[in-house]
Amino acid sequence: MRKIVQVILHHLWMDYKYPFVTVHGKVAKKDFYIVEVIDQDGVRGYGETEAFPTPWYTEETTVTTKIALENYLIPTLFQANIQHPEELNEQFQTIRRNHMAKAALEQAVWDLYAKKQQQPLYQLIGGTQDTVPVGVSIGLKETDQALLDTIEEKIAAGYKRVKLKVRNGEEIDTLEKVREVYPTLPLMIDANGSYSWKDKDRLLALDQFKLLMIEQPFAQNDFVDHAKLQSMLETPLCLDESIHTVSDMKTAIALGSCQIVNVKLSRVGGFSAVKQIHDLAVAHDIPLWCGGMLEAGVGRAHSLAIATLPQFSLPADTASSSHYWHRDIIQPEVTLEHGMIQLPQQPGLGYAVDHEALAFYRVDKHLYKNE
């Protein structure tokens, strides 16, 4: 690789088309950074931070990602003189956790590298398909009818499966109402780790609804109770927040904590970590799927790239741009056709950053030079 001479952090605020509601609260605005890297030849690569303003999903926040990037990760990148993006994973080992900050910078370097190689990013990382089947994640709604109307809208749009965010104690009532109208709909639920072992009987009762999976019922570090519950359930458990590292994946496999894993590029720290987790999943025959982080276009495009890896056999959560935004920051926007997203064949991400939209949403900008 040619020397990376500049990194730019574009601080953006984007209003979601519809607020997204989970048991942890409502997300109405995306507060994040677009990471832009520029090499000696003027080639540019782009990544996106996915941490939320508050640490409800992981310990990282919008503020902490900037601190990690500015003080540790960008200086490490400038000093490393890497020849390939995979070398960043090793260079970042001395910096603990901060996976979302690491992933955003690594994404940008991968995008730049793929452009230099004149190859689509998804092919460069080992992707084997140029279309990705996608599902949709539906947040909590104020009424049952609002939920049913949203499901109807998403089915009509062609989404391959529906994930429902649910509240602890309301899931059975919600599923009864949904199954009455949609008895065969590919369906899963997610309460973002809000259950505990005392809810075991209610969770076991979910077998009656023939769900594709139950995602992350218990806390992120509770591999043991997930394993105990999975041994009692017919419905597959899927781990999300529990899987931050390859070591976490090994723990889940050893204990039998799940049958499916949701992989998020930002949560595990980037493409290199995803590929290691993917290879473990192949060896142990564990289906993967790509979860969503309410991404803007750059992050969405990177997530689509990992969803092309062979073991990602279940529909991704990377819905179309129009599901979230009145206007995205890439051209063309991510679009859905018959429940599938076709990946572009241009080098790198395949999507161009819309610099007019970037400027419209930008609230601040920070430039770092490799001198």
Side-chain angles (χ1 to χ4, degrees):
M1 287 182 66
R2 297 281 281 169
K3 179 180 178 182
I4 293 173
V5 295
Q6 291 186 3
V7 176
I8 303 172
L9 298 183
H10 304 267
H11 189 184
L12 274 58
W13 288 350
M14 293 174 66
D15 290 320
Y16 287 103
K17 186 183 286 188
Y18 310 106
F20 193 80
V21 184
T22 74
V23 293
H24 298 292
K26 180 170 70 173
V27 181
K29 182 189 294 289
K30 184 170 176 67
D31 177 6
F32 69 111
Y33 289 90
I34 291 296
V35 181
E36 178 179 2
V37 299
I38 308 168
D39 77 357
Q40 283 180 310
D41 299 322
V43 179
R44 297 165 187 259
Y46 296 91
E48 178 179 316
T49 67
E50 304 299 350
F52 296 99
T54 58
W56 70 268
Y57 181 72
T58 72
E59 67 275 16
E60 289 180 83
T61 67
T62 309
V63 171
T64 67
T65 53
K66 179 178 183 290
I67 292 170
L69 284 161
E70 183 174 65
N71 294 305
Y72 306 107
L73 298 172
I74 293 171
T76 298
L77 172 65
F78 285 162
Q79 294 165 13
N81 191 29
I82 62 167
Q83 300 304 308
H84 191 282
E86 286 189 339
E87 296 171 29
L88 274 181
N89 189 50
E90 182 177 346
Q91 294 293 329
F92 288 161
Q93 287 304 305
T94 57
I95 302 162
R96 303 300 182 195
R97 306 288 285 196
N98 290 286
H99 289 167
M100 293 187 177
K102 290 177 181 178
L105 186 55
E106 194 211 51
Q107 287 170 19
V109 175
W110 271 101
D111 181 30
L112 187 153
Y113 183 75
K115 288 170 180 171
K116 301 286 282 192
Q117 298 299 308
Q118 288 293 301
Q119 191 174 355
L121 175 59
Y122 80 90
Q123 292 179 6
L124 199 62
I125 65 168
T128 56
Q129 52 198 355
D130 62 2
T131 58
V132 174
V134 292
V136 67
S137 180
I138 299 176
L140 296 169
K141 301 296 180 182
E142 292 186 359
T143 67
D144 294 330
Q145 192 57 52
L147 175 60
L148 293 171
D149 289 346
T150 303
I151 293 173
E152 181 179 8
E153 173 192 332
K154 299 309 174 186
I155 292 173
Y159 286 100
K160 298 293 188 182
R161 64 107 178 99
V162 170
K163 178 168 84 172
L164 302 180
K165 296 291 186 178
V166 295
R167 287 190 179 92
N168 185 340
E170 298 179 6
E171 65 295 306
I172 290 178
D173 183 58
T174 296
L175 287 170
E176 285 176 344
K177 290 181 170 62
V178 172
R179 277 296 187 223
E180 184 177 353
V181 180
Y182 301 105
T184 61
L185 173 68
L187 190 65
M188 57 180 287
I189 64 166
D190 180 14
N192 292 106
S194 64
Y195 293 99
S196 66
W197 188 249
K198 64 181 173 58
D199 302 308
K200 167 181 63 73
D201 291 340
R202 203 165 60 252
L203 289 166
L204 292 175
L206 297 178
D207 271 339
Q208 66 184 295
F209 297 108
K210 306 299 180 185
L211 301 173
L212 290 174
M213 67 190 87
I214 301 167
E215 186 176 356
Q216 195 70 43
F218 301 137
Q220 67 172 20
N221 57 355
D222 204 342
F223 290 95
V224 172
D225 278 353
H226 276 112
K228 288 162 57 180
L229 180 65
Q230 182 64 91
S231 71
M232 302 167 73
L233 270 172
E234 293 180 12
T235 306
L237 292 184
C238 170
L239 291 185
D240 174 1
E241 290 96 328
S242 292
I243 308 298
H244 292 265
T245 65
V246 176
S247 179
D248 290 336
M249 186 72 170
K250 290 178 180 177
T251 299
I253 291 168
L255 295 178
S257 301
C258 63
Q259 295 179 16
I260 299 170
V261 172
N262 167 350
V263 179
K264 293 175 180 172
L265 180 62
S266 60
R267 192 188 68 233
V268 303
F271 287 103
S272 296
V274 166
K275 294 197 316 183
Q276 293 174 44
I277 289 169
H278 173 270
D279 291 347
L280 266 177
V282 171
H284 294 274
D285 196 26
I286 296 174
L288 304 176
W289 60 282
C290 178
M293 287 293 290
L294 307 180
E295 302 101 331
V298 171
R300 192 164 303 275
H302 279 291
S303 290
L304 285 168
I306 71 166
T308 68
L309 293 168
Q311 199 66 10
F312 283 76
S313 55
L314 298 168
D317 251 357
T318 44
S320 64
S321 295
S322 62
H323 179 65
Y324 295 103
W325 312 110
H326 292 288
R327 179 186 185 183
D328 208 341
I329 57 171
I330 55 171
Q331 294 178 334
E333 295 191 351
V334 176
T335 56
L336 184 78
E337 187 171 349
H338 305 300
M340 307 289 287
I341 292 174
Q342 177 78 44
L343 272 72
Q345 298 304 303
Q346 288 77 17
L349 277 183
Y351 297 89
V353 170
D354 181 343
H355 289 278
E356 184 179 286
L358 192 72
F360 176 78
Y361 291 119
R362 188 169 53 219
V363 294
D364 206 354
K365 181 177 177 180
H366 306 272
L367 170 66
Y368 309 88
K369 294 183 178 181
N370 189 3
E371 297 175 333

